[in-house]
Amino acid sequence: MNKLLMEQFEDCPVIAAVKDEEGLKACIDSEIGIVFVLFGDICSISGIVKRLKDAGKTVIVHLDLISGLSGKEIAVTFIRNTTDADGIISTKPALIRQAKECNLFTVMRFFAIDSMAFDNIRRQSESVHPDIIEVLPGLMPKVIRRICTESRIPVIAGGLITDREDIMAALNAGAISISTTNRQVWFM
């Protein structure tokens, strides 16, 4: 399953990130194939995922942003057992490890806020082995290029991407795709 999902990511330069009901509806009506779910709670996440899956989308749930779920491994098992999500996003290594054990696709999110981030990304990636690394903010081509050069794991750029120029800069720096909540960018 993860090999097929990896191929999908490589073929999908723009990933829709949905943070509210309005974005969810727009995404369902779009041709976007991969969706990062950045909202919901334990009562609504199954329905959100179902609506997206019914629309033919690949769905990755940002576990850290689902209200009512703890940062513990049982939250991964909950997502696996109560939704049809294809994978999870998290900043927490233990959740990525658990998701891999549950055969879910894994996206480990990192915030590149200072020079220590490079070492942190390298160490955690080598330790946890996520399927993909997501780096935020995504509009730093030099930083994206360095991470792509130093990592054996594919990189997605996310956050603050607002136009075609930002997309092209991230992709030219080596990112396999970008993720954004900006609906205008979904259709570029």
Side-chain angles (χ1 to χ4, degrees):
M1 174 174 88
N2 286 355
K3 184 177 179 173
L4 291 173
L5 283 175
M6 187 61 74
E7 289 173 5
Q8 249 187 307
F9 275 93
E10 291 168 356
D11 292 340
C12 185
V14 178
I15 298 164
V18 295
K19 61 182 178 179
D20 54 28
E21 183 65 29
E22 186 178 316
L24 177 65
K25 288 177 185 173
C27 179
I28 287 170
D29 294 335
S30 78
E31 292 184 20
I32 292 282
I34 301 174
V35 183
F36 286 177
V37 177
L38 310 180
F39 80 107
D41 57 45
I42 60 171
C43 296
S44 65
I45 192 62
S46 294
I48 291 168
V49 171
K50 181 176 182 350
R51 289 169 62 194
L52 289 164
K53 295 300 284 183
D54 288 349
K57 313 295 184 187
T58 296
V59 182
I60 313 292
V61 175
H62 194 320
L63 205 57
D64 304 350
L65 300 179
I66 305 303
S67 297
L69 290 180
S70 69
K72 305 222 182 291
E73 291 89 341
I74 193 67
V76 175
T77 305
F78 174 83
I79 291 295
R80 180 72 178 140
N81 291 344
T82 64
T83 76
D84 287 325
D86 298 289
I88 68 148
I89 303 167
S90 183
T91 60
K92 298 174 175 70
L95 299 184
I96 298 295
R97 280 189 198 95
Q98 179 66 24
K100 291 185 79 61
E101 287 182 26
C102 289
N103 200 32
L104 290 168
F105 194 82
T106 56
V107 178
M108 189 156 191
R109 181 176 267 191
F110 292 97
F111 296 93
I113 57 172
D114 58 28
S115 61
M116 292 186 306
F118 294 113
D119 187 49
N120 184 42
I121 291 169
R122 184 190 51 75
R123 275 185 301 103
Q124 287 194 27
S125 296
E126 289 174 0
S127 168
V128 179
H129 305 289
D131 294 303
I132 290 180
I133 296 168
E134 183 181 27
V135 177
L136 283 83
L139 53 108
M140 303 180 300
K142 287 181 182 178
V143 172
I144 299 294
R145 182 173 291 109
R146 179 174 171 186
I147 293 168
C148 289
T149 301
E150 294 177 1
S151 176
R152 295 183 196 139
I153 298 169
V155 174
I156 293 172
L160 301 177
I161 295 174
T162 59
D163 57 30
R164 182 173 175 72
E165 184 179 336
D166 294 338
I167 294 171
M168 297 312 298
L171 295 175
N172 289 335
I176 63 167
S177 45
I178 64 96
S179 69
T180 182
T181 59
N182 184 334
R183 283 175 269 176
Q184 285 75 33
V185 177
W186 294 354
F187 305 106
M188 293 185 167

